[in-house]
Amino acid sequence: MRSIWGPVTEIQDLGVVAEQCPYCERVMPCLLRSVYRGSYIFFIKTAVPTEERSRLCTACLQALPCEHWRYAAVVPIRKAKVLPIEDLLSRTNPGLAERLQLREQIRALGGDAAFGLAYEQVERLRPGALRSSFLKQLLGWNGLAVEQRTLLGQLIGSHARACQFACQIAPAFPGQTGCWRAALAAFAVWSAFLWVPAVHSWLWGSITLVAGLVAAALTRQLLLTRNVCQWTRKVLIPEAQEANVSLACLLAVVEDVPGSRLGMMEDLWPIRNELEAIRRVLSAEGRL
């Protein structure tokens, strides 16, 4: 029996696209979903629900966060059931279709398929020093021994998977929470202006105001760091292990996000901003 208050989850199926699943590594129809989470009391919603967007692989039934706008189109579920995967791929994900076609052309022309795959994976990385370094190493591909080519391909593939994984988990990263506690800390300091007669002056009033703001900022940062540490232990480590993603590669990808105003526009910026706290937890857990 449903209680009279508590959390509520609503799932809306939006349609089907073709995507290469990072878990089963097959190009399969994937179901796009919008998941709304909120709360209710007496069957009435008490707050605006938060929206999470995901895709569900129809082969391995693994769900991953995703950005729906990246797809060229979305095919209705009924129509997708009778549509060949090739047609679904060309309609919904032409970028992936072009990459797969390039790989086949390299193989058909007798080229090095490993090089084509490595180059394709480098193209998935975001612009930065890491991507430039891999491109430079690929320029000397012909001069590498077979073992060196294999190791380079594996290294590039690990970083490409880590980059995709980082983008998928970024929406679930802890945000700036604890506002009311930070405000409480500030008000506790500011109350000195009311209860301590010695600070009833412009000088001490200004000092009290600044001290309250500093207390609020420190409280908010401490709460954020605590949440980040919990998220690293309970979310990042188990999900990275399940997705077979190297945590060292993940840190390298996030660290490559520029620390400039341009970098702050990246969806990975909140993770990069708390990278030291994440690294400390991973080191303490023996994951690095």
Side-chain angles (χ1 to χ4, degrees):
M1 182 177 177
R2 190 175 180 179
S3 60
I4 61 175
W5 71 83
V8 60
T9 300
E10 298 177 358
I11 300 177
Q12 181 181 3
D13 294 331
L14 304 177
V16 180
V17 298
E19 184 60 274
Q20 188 169 24
C21 176
Y23 290 100
C24 62
E25 298 184 348
R26 290 186 289 175
V27 178
M28 295 296 297
C30 293
L31 182 63
L32 293 187
R33 287 179 164 179
S34 286
V35 181
Y36 299 89
R37 304 183 189 278
S39 57
Y40 70 94
I41 182 169
F42 291 108
F43 308 103
I44 300 175
K45 294 178 183 178
T46 58
V48 178
T50 59
E51 181 183 6
E52 300 174 6
R53 297 186 174 184
S54 64
R55 70 170 186 263
L56 176 70
C57 176
T58 57
C60 62
L61 301 181
Q62 291 284 351
L64 291 170
C66 74
E67 298 170 325
H68 294 174
W69 58 266
R70 293 185 178 276
Y71 298 103
V74 179
V75 177
I77 297 176
R78 224 177 251 184
K79 189 174 182 179
K81 288 181 179 179
V82 297
L83 201 63
I85 186 62
E86 294 81 8
D87 294 342
L88 183 65
L89 181 63
S90 62
R91 291 188 187 186
T92 63
N93 202 346
L96 176 60
E98 291 175 359
R99 293 196 297 270
L100 295 175
Q101 185 179 7
L102 175 61
R103 191 186 306 174
E104 291 298 327
Q105 288 176 347
I106 292 175
R107 186 179 294 111
L109 293 173
D112 194 333
F115 174 83
L117 177 60
Y119 180 78
E120 174 191 331
Q121 291 173 331
V122 168
E123 286 296 310
R124 297 179 187 176
L125 297 175
R126 300 192 172 203
L130 187 65
R131 183 174 181 270
S132 299
S133 174
F134 282 139
L135 284 174
K136 186 176 180 179
Q137 294 179 63
L138 285 178
L139 290 176
W141 182 267
N142 291 332
L144 299 177
V146 177
E147 295 80 5
Q148 292 174 317
R149 293 180 180 181
T150 302
L151 290 175
L152 179 59
Q154 292 174 348
L155 185 61
I156 292 174
S158 297
H159 282 82
R161 286 196 303 274
C163 183
Q164 183 180 18
F165 177 76
C167 294
Q168 291 167 349
I169 64 171
F173 188 75
Q176 293 287 346
T177 57
C179 295
W180 68 272
R181 295 182 182 179
L184 185 63
F187 285 129
V189 176
W190 291 337
S191 64
F193 187 80
L194 300 175
W195 303 109
V196 182
V199 300
H200 288 180
S201 65
W202 283 106
L203 175 61
W204 285 106
S206 301
I207 294 175
T208 304
L209 176 63
V210 173
L213 295 176
V214 171
L218 290 176
T219 301
R220 195 169 187 178
Q221 183 59 43
L222 288 173
L223 291 173
L224 176 60
T225 301
R226 185 196 65 178
N227 292 340
V228 168
C229 292
Q230 292 178 348
W231 175 83
T232 303
R233 294 188 185 95
K234 298 180 180 180
V235 178
L236 177 61
I237 293 176
E239 289 195 8
Q241 186 175 4
E242 183 180 1
N244 193 26
V245 170
S246 167
L247 290 170
C249 293
L250 177 68
L251 293 181
V253 167
V254 175
E255 194 171 20
D256 195 49
V257 174
S260 61
R261 184 178 297 273
L262 180 63
M264 294 181 186
M265 299 174 63
E266 291 273 0
D267 51 3
L268 296 182
W269 172 255
I271 302 179
R272 186 193 188 282
N273 201 34
E274 300 297 327
L275 198 58
E276 289 305 316
I278 296 174
R279 184 178 281 111
R280 286 197 301 268
V281 175
L282 294 179
S283 299
E285 296 289 328
R287 301 289 177 170
L288 295 179

